[in-house]
Amino acid sequence: MTDLLLDQYQEIVGEDVINNLRQLAEPLRGAKVVHVNSTREGGGVAEILHRMIPLKKELGLEPSWEVIAGEGEFYQCTKYMHNTLQGNRSEIPQHLLKRYEETNEENAERLRGQLEEADFVFIHDPQPAPLLSLCSGRRGKWVWRCHIDVSRPYRPVWKYLRNFVEPYDASIWSLAEFAQPLHHPLYLIAPSIDPLSDKNIELSQKELKGVLKRSKLDPDRPIVVQVSRFDRFKDPVGVVQAFRLAKTFVPLQLVLAGGGATDDPEGEEVLAEVRAAAAGDSDIHVMLLPSDAHRTINGLQRISDIVVQKSTREGFGLTVTEAMWKGKPVIGGEVGGIRLQVHNHHTGFLVNTPEGAALRIRYLLTHRDKLEEMGRKARQFILENFLITRHVREYLTLMLAILRGTEERIELV
Ligand code: UDP
């Protein structure tokens, strides 16, 4: 096995894709690229940066990753921001906004030299957004990368944040419908998964058997899985209803796996509702997972026959990407990024009700050839569109476009 990441990805995506990355990276050789976010561990942003930084380095760029440091009131403020930008209606107390700005000033003191020197700075999400206004000697291009859904923000909070993000050279959004109008160019870059991470890497039969056994599942009966936080928008109770309906026609087991319930009061409530809905049925397995259960989630997705993601509201829906990559057809709620991934009747089914989900579960389990064909198409679709290599390609293209924006053609050697 080679040590070079690019070689490892090449085995999955093919030579052309990797050659294309090398070509795009060539004019950017030696470019200093700094990413700034607010956490090194936990959450999708950190997960992606962990993999993207070494890849960009192998491609000849000079990437680095900085994390802004803050304390209690800073995170209280940014949590408020996160929730209000995604639709909660509440004012952020003035003293918290003051802490937000002060924390950015403190971090700017530490990072200014590096940020002003960089050719490109990618600032992730609202937490470090004010840094641009604090680096007046900047030399490079600055891009604000928004990972959250700002389609229906609480206006006063968006207006406050907009003052900080408007002066950026560009911004990146995950989906068109998440964005707000701004005066600079807006780019769309969808998230991705890493096929070499613990969450997605191939697992041995032995490991899969271990997951089956630990989960107390019967290998001889079909398994339907939904992996998600216990959150009402993920509609776990709807999944139980769909399961109960489908089970009257086909033998079936259901796994609802997720974590994060213990430190989230609403999560505990939802978990209690799910347990009540599942009571008395030993074929429903509600599994509370620790936050580092990546290989278990990988295994559960792989041992399933069908993956369900019956959300009634969703961001991009990475669990859908993960399942499709494992060759599973997904029955998903017709919302958010699920609609970009599940092509109705081709890579899975889009549904709006428990009855709809039950009908599709029953159909797939009684038409195995269809189930397998959809699973194959699902994997191919993710291979072509939602792996980290596509994500890096779009970042490189964006950097070239920003640098050479006025040229009609960008010649690559
Ligand atoms: N996930 C996890 N543990 C859990 C539940 C989810 O590691 O208990 C992972 C899941 O595999 C996926 C991500 O967290 O990678 C969830 O992303 P998604 O976009 O599906 O939903 P979100 O939770 O961001 O709304």
Side-chain angles (χ1 to χ4, degrees):
M1 180 106 147
T2 163
D3 283 346
L4 274 185
L5 274 174
L6 284 166
D7 289 349
Q8 293 177 39
Y9 288 114
Q10 182 163 320
E11 281 171 27
I12 297 167
V13 297
E15 202 179 345
D16 287 354
V17 169
I18 300 300
N19 284 344
N20 182 225
L21 289 185
R22 291 192 205 275
Q23 254 189 332
L24 287 167
E26 197 47 43
L28 295 163
R29 183 163 283 281
K32 292 197 180 77
V33 183
V34 187
H35 287 268
V36 185
N37 81 329
S38 62
T39 170
R40 188 97 35 205
E41 294 298 334
V45 180
E47 212 165 291
I48 269 298
L49 287 177
H50 269 299
R51 307 302 293 210
M52 211 178 248
I53 300 292
L55 251 179
K56 284 188 178 164
K57 199 169 273 170
E58 263 187 43
L59 286 164
L61 282 71
E62 283 184 29
S64 55
W65 172 13
E66 298 298 333
V67 172
I68 61 164
E71 280 165 16
E73 285 192 337
F74 171 71
Y75 295 113
Q76 256 180 337
C77 180
T78 56
K79 177 88 186 167
Y80 258 113
M81 263 184 199
H82 187 91
N83 291 340
T84 50
L85 290 170
Q86 302 212 90
N88 275 11
R89 303 182 60 76
S90 63
E91 299 298 333
I92 306 182
Q94 272 306 323
H95 73 282
L96 293 185
L97 290 175
K98 187 160 168 278
R99 252 338 268 150
Y100 170 69
E101 292 180 26
E102 285 166 358
T103 303
N104 270 281
E105 280 161 27
E106 288 152 22
N107 281 277
E109 286 307 314
R110 181 171 57 91
L111 299 171
R112 186 170 289 118
Q114 188 186 355
L115 295 179
E116 290 186 346
E117 267 301 294
D119 297 296
F120 292 95
V121 177
F122 289 93
I123 298 289
H124 294 262
D125 285 335
Q127 296 91 332
L131 285 177
L132 173 72
S133 61
L134 299 162
C135 292
S136 55
R138 71 164 167 133
R139 180 172 91 72
K141 303 289 184 185
W142 285 54
V143 181
W144 185 57
R145 200 321 176 199
C146 182
H147 295 270
I148 58 180
D149 174 358
V150 194
S151 50
R152 280 167 292 181
Y154 179 52
R155 299 305 303 179
V157 174
W158 170 243
K159 277 189 187 162
Y160 169 80
L161 183 69
R162 194 176 60 192
N163 288 330
F164 292 115
V165 300
E166 190 84 79
Y168 279 70
D169 295 299
S171 54
I172 307 177
W173 304 79
S174 293
L175 297 179
E177 62 203 68
F178 286 4
Q180 283 291 325
L182 289 163
H183 287 109
H184 57 228
L186 274 66
Y187 291 85
L188 296 179
I189 300 186
S192 63
I193 58 164
D194 182 353
L196 300 178
S197 67
D198 274 347
K199 184 71 69 56
N200 297 304
I201 197 134
E202 293 285 338
L203 299 179
S204 67
Q205 282 306 317
K206 187 168 166 237
E207 190 162 351
L208 293 181
K209 278 197 186 128
V211 174
L212 262 172
K213 204 165 163 212
R214 281 202 308 280
S215 313
K216 302 193 172 63
L217 289 158
D218 171 3
D220 298 324
R221 277 182 303 143
I223 300 169
V224 173
V225 168
Q226 173 161 302
V227 174
S228 29
R229 294 177 290 107
F230 287 97
D231 179 315
R232 285 209 178 82
F233 288 131
K234 309 283 182 185
D235 199 17
V237 172
V239 179
V240 171
Q241 287 165 354
F243 167 83
R244 286 194 189 277
L245 286 168
K247 201 185 164 193
T248 57
F249 299 99
V250 279
L252 207 54
Q253 306 167 86
L254 173 67
V255 177
L256 286 166
T262 42
D263 57 349
D264 171 2
E266 199 173 86
E268 270 180 44
E269 243 174 65
V270 176
L271 183 60
E273 286 167 20
V274 173
R275 289 209 159 115
D281 192 331
S282 59
D283 284 328
I284 304 179
H285 302 253
V286 180
M287 293 172 59
L288 204 49
L289 300 175
S291 60
D292 60 352
H294 304 306
R295 289 186 90 95
T296 304
I297 290 177
N298 185 345
L300 287 170
Q301 289 165 333
R302 285 183 192 279
I303 61 173
S304 68
D305 294 80
I306 299 169
V307 168
V308 176
Q309 189 56 60
K310 219 202 93 27
S311 309
T312 54
R313 194 159 160 202
E314 189 55 82
F316 182 69
L318 279 172
T319 51
V320 172
T321 332
E322 290 157 9
M324 288 172 66
W325 174 241
K326 289 156 193 140
K328 307 298 168 180
V330 172
I331 298 176
E334 195 168 4
V335 288
I338 298 179
R339 292 168 305 164
L340 282 185
Q341 305 184 72
V342 175
H343 288 256
N344 211 5
H345 297 267
H346 294 284
T347 58
F349 288 108
L350 292 170
V351 296
N352 291 291
T353 57
E355 290 76 10
L359 191 73
R360 297 314 190 186
I361 292 172
R362 180 183 169 193
Y363 173 81
L364 285 174
L365 292 178
T366 49
H367 296 79
R368 280 280 165 179
D369 51 335
K370 271 280 168 209
L371 185 152
E372 272 154 31
E373 186 192 330
M374 281 188 180
R376 274 194 302 276
K377 283 189 191 162
R379 181 174 167 95
Q380 186 64 23
F381 188 68
I382 300 306
L383 176 71
E384 287 168 14
N385 296 288
F386 295 115
L387 296 188
I388 189 171
T389 37
R390 185 273 309 158
H391 206 161
V392 171
R393 186 188 77 220
E394 291 189 334
Y395 264 98
L396 296 172
T397 313
L398 175 139
M399 285 189 254
L400 285 174
I402 292 179
L403 273 187
R404 316 251 185 109
T406 51
E407 291 173 31
E408 262 185 27
R409 286 162 60 95
I410 299 173
E411 296 289 347
L412 299 174
V413 278

